[in-house]
Amino acid sequence: VNEFFCALIEAGRQNDGHGLAKWVPERTVKTSDGWIRPDGFGVYLHPGGALDFYLEYDRGTETTRQLANKLAGYIGVARDWTEQGAEHFPCVLIVVPNHRRERVVAAAFAGALARFKRADKLAGLPFFVTNEEMLSRWGVLGRVWAPLPKLDRRLAIAELPAKEGLDYDLSDCIGRCFTENGW
């Protein structure tokens, strides 16, 4: 988890218009539907906007059913995010060890969706998965994120749903304050 966020910090330092504005480790969010306990929460700025996301780092030790239970928690929170529903729910980024585990996560996500009424409206939630091999090869900003449940294409982090017009200052991003040119 720390390595992932540190990679985002470094990417922000090396790319104009990019930066990690927020990193909250192991944040717990309580809702009427239960709890979600992501491994981290972040806001990554890029020229297209601000990507806010929950990070789940999966080591491949949970069964498909356990994963489905965890993902159902996120879906329940997303469903009740606003009065209008899941619009503007933060992305859920899931990092797994390998391609095979991505398919397990996709099956778990499909199983979790099936638990909800009107699952068709929830199928477009911003859930994405990648694996350590792809991150190692292409980097955190590479086209490594596959949307769940289909896994039919790969997107770069700057192509994931982002919010525009938020008031963040790149100079305040993590890793920019303490550079050679800073203090």
Side-chain angles (χ1 to χ4, degrees):
V1 173
N2 291 343
E3 188 176 319
F4 178 83
F5 279 99
C6 288
L8 284 177
I9 292 168
E10 189 61 30
R13 291 184 65 198
Q14 294 177 359
N15 293 278
D16 286 339
H18 289 249
L20 184 64
K22 182 181 271 189
W23 171 7
V24 180
E26 296 185 42
R27 180 177 174 164
T28 301
V29 181
K30 182 179 179 182
T31 69
S32 60
D33 283 326
W35 295 80
I36 57 174
R37 291 184 179 91
D39 295 315
F41 174 80
V43 177
Y44 188 77
L45 308 180
H46 57 78
L51 168 71
D52 54 341
F53 64 91
Y54 296 112
L55 179 70
E56 278 293 334
Y57 197 92
D58 177 79
R59 298 188 187 277
T61 59
E62 296 176 312
T63 66
T64 305
R65 182 178 180 89
Q66 289 170 318
L67 278 171
N69 290 340
K70 181 183 284 187
L71 295 173
Y74 280 101
I75 294 167
V77 172
R79 180 194 61 202
D80 297 336
W81 189 248
T82 67
E83 289 180 13
Q84 294 79 33
E87 187 178 347
H88 301 298
F89 184 69
C91 289
V92 178
L93 305 182
I94 305 165
V95 179
V96 299
N98 53 48
H99 287 288
R100 184 181 63 74
R101 187 65 176 176
E102 286 182 346
R103 291 188 296 277
V104 172
V105 170
F109 184 75
L113 273 177
R115 299 177 187 185
F116 292 87
K117 293 178 185 177
R118 308 187 83 181
D120 56 322
K121 285 194 167 192
L122 298 171
L125 287 172
F127 283 65
F128 301 90
V129 66
T130 192
N131 64 70
E132 292 173 344
E133 297 164 3
M134 292 197 76
L135 282 174
S136 177
R137 182 172 184 183
W138 300 107
V140 72
L141 298 185
R143 295 181 69 101
V144 299
W145 299 101
L148 290 173
K150 294 186 178 183
L151 305 177
D152 58 349
R153 65 189 190 283
R154 298 285 174 166
L155 302 168
I157 207 164
E159 296 172 308
L160 302 182
K163 296 177 177 119
E164 296 179 23
L166 296 179
D167 191 24
Y168 288 104
D169 185 349
L170 280 170
S171 65
D172 291 335
C173 284
I174 302 168
R176 289 190 182 254
C177 299
F178 302 103
T179 63
E180 305 81 41
N181 301 329
W183 24 300

